[in-house]
Amino acid sequence: MKRIVVTGASGQIGSELVPHLRRIYGAEAVLATDLRPLKGLLAEGGPSASLDVRDGKAFSDLVGAFRADTIIHLAGILSARGEGDFALAWDVNVNGSITALEVAREREAALFFPSSIAAFGPATPPTGTPQDTIQRPTTVYGVAKVSLELLCDYFHLKFGVDTRGLRFPGLISHEAPPGGGTTDYAVHIYHEAVERGRYTSFIAAGTFLDMMYMPDALDAVVGLMEADPSRLIHRNAFNVSAMSLDPEGIAAAIGTILPHFVLDYDVDPLRQAIARSWPDSLDCSAAREEWGFAPRYDLKTMTEDMISRLRARKRKALTA
Ligand code: NAD
Ligand code: AKB
């Protein structure tokens, strides 16, 4: 990766991936784009542009003018939001992503596509979920992810496009808020713990889901995109995860630092049903073997880092 266009750059992942890529490849080598206005570091730290990924001509023109060799395609509508608006979720997640594939093909760029644990469904083995297994998701978000996993394989086989991708678990981070997903509770719980000392979870006690801390997700994107292609047997949709967590497990880890933290529940049936249809713990051996996936953070180290960063931000806001 030398010259990179990032779509959906204002979101939870893009807000941290764009500065990370700019540190590695140089500020001028990373063009941040989004439908929403780009703010702060995204706009000031390097080139940026407005882009609706469903506009094929604008997308292709931007990639061509920037002389990009890589597209990191993050634009999307997340699981819970998607269940509320089928047409929008399909249009952005399927049509917008096919547009990204077509632009990559036309401009001879590599394409990173972020799939998700949402690509699995209730018939999937929930623990030790294999890399290659039954999928059959029950959300429009998941159906779109499976479709794109297959289309990314197809564009590689048929047209030689250098497509690569990960199946992300729920990502926990402190920089930008999550965008309407089911795993969002695992981000909100830290913010609320530091702000208010308590959190009401919309996901029920005992519901385990795969999770990963954002720095490991950023390293995984770069690690996969820089991997020797001759070692990639799967290429797209690699299972990646660092921990399997339920709300009480996170609360217990927070409680070691904030002993008065209180967790209670007001379960949202929609997001709980989605969570129950997803696996508990992925088998990530293909990612480890084919390109050296090695997450650094566990629940303890992630919790220490999240709380210390959120506390520092709170102190700064109070003194500003
Ligand atoms: P997010 O919702 O925080 O950000 C998505 C961004 O896409 C937003 O900034 C939004 O403005 C933009 N967008 C929406 N429609 C657009 C359009 N038509 N054209 C251009 N931009 C548009 O999402 P995120 O968490 O940053 O996720 C990025 C990608 O990673 C998504 O494909 C998501 O499915 C995938 N993913 C995320 C997670 C996670 O936990 N964050 C987990 C698995 C997969
Ligand atoms: C969501 O909950 O929708 C995302 C995801 C796991 O894909 N965080």
Side-chain angles (χ1 to χ4, degrees), residues 72-297:
I72 306 276
H73 178 54
L74 301 179
I77 305 296
L78 272 69
S79 58
R81 192 173 164 215
E83 289 310 284
D85 193 339
F86 171 85
L88 177 70
W90 190 260
D91 199 23
V92 176
N93 294 350
V94 177
N95 297 333
S97 300
I98 293 174
T99 303
L101 278 165
E102 292 284 16
V103 171
R105 176 185 171 196
E106 180 194 346
R107 297 291 180 183
E108 298 182 356
L111 179 88
F112 172 83
F113 177 74
S115 189
S116 161
I117 49 172
F120 297 115
T124 301
T127 51
T129 305
Q131 174 66 40
D132 301 305
T133 186
I134 189 161
Q135 298 196 244
R136 315 280 317 167
T138 50
T139 60
V140 59
Y141 177 70
V143 172
K145 290 298 188 195
V146 177
S147 309
L148 265 297
E149 289 183 0
L150 295 172
L151 282 170
C152 284
D153 282 348
Y154 179 79
F155 268 65
H156 175 65
L157 290 170
K158 183 88 179 174
F159 306 120
V161 180
D162 184 3
T163 54
R164 305 187 189 194
L166 305 171
R167 284 186 189 126
F168 280 132
L171 298 179
I172 297 173
S173 66
H174 49 81
E175 208 45 55
T182 302
T183 59
D184 295 13
Y185 91 86
V187 178
H188 297 152
I189 192 171
Y190 285 100
H191 286 259
E192 294 294 303
V194 170
E195 283 303 317
R196 275 172 270 283
R198 59 183 310 129
Y199 178 67
T200 302
S201 173
F202 59 76
I203 293 295
T207 308
F208 280 86
L209 288 166
D210 284 281
M211 302 279 175
M212 187 154 73
Y213 196 30
M214 189 61 84
D216 285 328
L218 307 184
D219 286 347
V221 174
V222 174
L224 174 61
M225 295 311 285
E226 292 289 5
D228 174 356
S230 69
R231 287 184 60 201
L232 300 180
I233 300 162
H234 285 88
R235 182 169 275 282
N236 290 296
F238 280 98
N239 284 0
V240 288
S241 178
M243 42 201 135
S244 174
L245 302 178
D246 65 352
E248 314 84 288
I250 302 178
I254 291 172
T256 63
I257 303 170
L258 303 171
H260 302 296
F261 175 64
V262 175
L263 172 67
D264 59 13
Y265 296 89
D266 180 11
V267 174
D268 169 22
L270 170 71
R271 286 177 287 186
Q272 179 62 22
I274 296 174
R276 281 296 3 118
S277 75
W278 292 352
D280 300 354
S281 57
L282 304 183
D283 171 0
C284 306
S285 50
R288 282 198 298 274
E289 284 157 20
E290 293 176 39
W291 52 272
F293 171 62
R296 290 173 290 137
Y297 286 89

